[in-house]
Amino acid sequence: MLRVAVVGSGPSGCYTAQGLVQQHPGVRVDVLDRLPCPYGLVRYGVAPDHEKIKSLQNSLRAVLEHDRVRFLGAVPVGPGGVPAARLRELYHAVVYCVGAATDRRLGIPGEDLPGSWSATDFVSWYSAHPDAPGRAPDGSPADGGFLRGVRSAVVIGVGNVAVDVTRMLARRAAELTRTDVPHSALTALAASTVTEIHMVGRRGPSQARFTTKELRELTTLPDTAVAVDAAELARDPASADPSALPPAQRRNVEVLRGWAAAPAPRARRVIRLRFYLRPVELLARDGRVAGVRWERTVPDGRGGVTGTGRYEDVGAQLVLRSVGYRGLPLDGLPFDPASGTVPHRAGRVLRDGTVAPGEYVAGWIKRGPTGVIGTNRPCAKETVMSLLADAPALGHRDLPGDPLAALRADGVDPVPWTGWRAIERAEAALGASLGRDVVKLPDWDSLLAAARSAGP
Ligand code: NAP
């Protein structure tokens, strides 16, 4: 029997586990997660109003309930948790599917002002991530601290995460009561005074990273108008005739051209899509963020932009930087700081250019934070194929016994699948008590209390 540990239970971890048990009848997989809950970014990243994508949890659930797959939650790997070297002793192979755990920074003055957050913080807050910032830098509760007193918000970046947070900022609480958004976030959104959201790209519309489906969704929001500046659009050399662009970019430009041509209808809220503005400083008033200073840019003819030395200030009481994720080094594994990924060859971890037997990667820590959830399928498949090709050599080693018993002897107390099911029941009960459907538990204490109520 080949024993494999998959570290991380998001889409890449689940697809890896699925590939292994489907392709090899003699493999057992433990899927470890540092959280007591499975599904990674599907639970804690996909926006609550994207119910169809959220329902992917049902197919990931089937993987984790496979009789040769075991979910072990609340097992951190690395400092303060299980060392990578210990995992190598307990399993024939370890596949790291830990994603890109942090957000990128802008590196400009004012970035740490109260009222300036990463989009990841905001996403964690409305997704009830137990590590979501509990307190705003000014000491006020983060619930409402994001939105209190905010009339104008700026979202820096034009990727799909930027679209998610823009859309959530424009949502009214009534549209979210049927989702699993935590109750405190719902209350804060109900009291939201946001009337203007600026989503801003440093390059042109034809270089925006959002996908057309997500872009179009912005015009489906009740009582919200979308405004595009026709002059900014015209600055993009591809905007007059987008036919030579790749299909995804062409569709984006066509949609934006349509919106720019039609005057934005009157509405309670407006989303302003802006381009060719590069953030140079976050402005302060009374110790809090009060706006963003931008340098106007122009296309450089090679897909990039150059600064013009002309500046524009946009007032905002909330700034969310949504400029991409970044992988973090994992203790005991090699890391390429330039790409934020683990060096690999077809999923096999490389140490100093040489394959490290029994160590693999899949997902964002392998290829960087790109692609949609489905992109993880072929990525995981490649890694699974590499691992199974190596299996005859890896499987020879005698293991010290059931890894779960060894982990427990080491003082680790994993949350088993029954513990996760108990969390699900507690979330259903919480929802029922609030007159809603399932409502997520937002903190470690309540998650672990629910999980432990199921016994070991
Ligand atoms: P992303 O797609 O890489 O977009 C990052 C954005 O930040 C780009 O517009 C980028 O502009 C901009 N940016 C980077 N550095 C900047 C700087 N210093 N100043 C100003 N702007 C800067 O990242 P993401 O939105 O975090 O998404 C990550 C991945 O998750 C993507 O593959 C995305 O499609 C996926 N995702 C998908 C969905 C969905 O399918 N619904 C939802 C959420 C996320 P440049 O292009 O000029 O660098």
Side-chain angles (χ1 to χ4, degrees):
M1 183 64 73
L2 187 77
R3 282 201 178 270
V4 180
V6 170
V7 182
S9 65
S12 62
C14 288
Y15 291 144
T16 300
Q18 184 178 40
L20 286 167
V21 292
Q22 275 178 354
Q23 305 283 328
H24 193 307
V27 68
R28 283 194 178 278
V29 183
D30 284 348
V31 180
L32 280 47
D33 203 295
R34 78 178 187 88
L35 296 176
C37 312
Y39 311 136
L41 276 184
V42 177
R43 178 172 162 93
Y44 287 120
V46 172
D49 59 342
H50 273 176
E51 284 157 29
K52 197 160 163 229
I53 310 181
K54 281 258 176 227
S55 69
L56 244 173
Q57 291 187 12
N58 296 329
S59 51
L60 302 186
R61 167 193 295 273
V63 175
L64 295 176
E65 288 185 338
H66 188 282
D67 55 7
R68 283 182 285 120
V69 176
R70 186 166 58 174
F71 171 72
L72 301 177
V75 180
V77 173
V82 185
R86 180 68 176 141
L87 282 185
R88 285 286 296 113
E89 288 168 10
L90 298 179
Y91 295 91
H92 291 116
V94 184
V95 190
Y96 292 92
C97 304
V98 293
T102 192
D103 53 275
R104 294 178 56 201
R105 291 181 59 85
L106 295 165
I108 60 173
E111 192 168 5
D112 293 316
L113 280 168
S116 161
W117 300 86
S118 72
T120 322
D121 287 333
F122 191 62
V123 171
S124 294
W125 171 69
Y126 66 60
S127 302
H129 193 294
D131 291 340
R135 299 265 144 199
D138 62 0
S140 62
D143 287 347
F146 282 107
L147 300 176
R148 191 174 303 123
V150 177
R151 296 174 313 284
S152 169
V154 162
V155 178
I156 302 176
V158 283
N160 276 334
V161 171
V163 178
D164 275 350
V165 297
T166 296
R167 196 180 64 254
M168 287 296 289
L169 280 169
R171 283 259 182 237
R172 292 173 306 185
E175 297 156 36
L176 297 168
T177 43
R178 286 167 52 82
T179 73
D180 63 2
V181 77
H183 212 60
S184 51
L186 198 66
T187 311
L189 286 164
S192 167
T193 49
V194 174
T195 53
E196 237 184 341
I197 305 148
H198 309 259
M199 187 171 102
V200 186
R202 61 181 172 180
R203 297 191 288 158
S206 64
Q207 284 110 18
R209 304 273 188 99
F210 43 62
T211 41
T212 314
K213 182 166 162 285
E214 276 62 32
L215 175 66
R216 279 208 181 101
E217 206 182 340
L218 292 178
T219 48
T220 65
L221 302 173
D223 215 2
T224 302
V226 181
V228 180
D229 185 331
E232 275 175 5
L233 210 61
R235 231 166 267 149
D236 191 325
S239 91
D241 177 14
S243 60
L245 290 171
Q249 282 75 36
R250 178 176 49 74
R251 284 193 297 269
N252 280 347
V253 171
E254 284 168 357
V255 167
L256 291 166
R257 276 202 325 188
W259 291 351
R266 282 174 66 84
R268 231 175 96 221
R269 286 180 182 154
V270 60
I271 295 170
R272 296 191 189 285
L273 295 185
R274 303 288 312 271
F275 295 96
Y276 294 117
L277 292 171
R278 139 165 114 195
V280 289
E281 184 183 355
L282 268 57
L283 308 169
R285 189 179 310 131
D286 302 329
R288 287 189 62 83
V289 80
V292 184
R293 176 157 299 159
W294 311 88
E295 183 180 15
R296 188 153 279 294
T297 62
V298 287
D300 65 3
R302 298 185 305 277
V305 286
T306 49
T308 59
R310 285 186 290 120
Y311 296 87
E312 175 179 338
D313 293 351
V314 172
Q317 299 76 43
L318 171 69
V319 175
L320 298 177
R321 62 175 185 279
S322 182
V323 294
Y325 291 87
R326 225 191 119 61
L328 283 179
L330 206 83
D331 214 41
L333 273 192
F335 188 71
D336 172 17
S339 62
T341 59
V342 171
H344 72 96
R345 188 179 302 141
R348 295 176 176 96
V349 170
L350 294 176
R351 290 182 185 273
D352 299 323
T354 307
V355 167
E359 293 180 305
Y360 302 84
V361 280
W364 278 3
I365 197 64
K366 171 184 173 188
R367 63 174 201 276
T370 58
V372 293
I373 291 171
T375 317
N376 290 298
R377 264 187 188 283
C379 178
K381 188 174 174 198
E382 180 190 59
T383 299
V384 165
M385 289 314 188
S386 295
L387 194 160
L388 293 181
D390 302 344
L394 296 171
H396 281 311
R397 188 163 53 93
D398 284 337
L399 298 180
D402 181 359
L404 179 55
L407 287 171
R408 287 200 172 124
D410 289 352
V412 182
D413 187 12
V415 167
W417 189 249
T418 48
W420 158 243
R421 296 305 305 268
I423 291 173
E424 286 190 308
R425 286 194 298 278
E427 295 189 333
L430 175 61
S433 74
L434 296 166
R436 296 175 54 196
D437 291 339
V438 170
V439 172
K440 279 183 183 163
L441 299 174
D443 58 86
W444 277 97
D445 286 350
S446 49
L447 287 168
L448 289 177
R452 303 293 181 214
S453 71

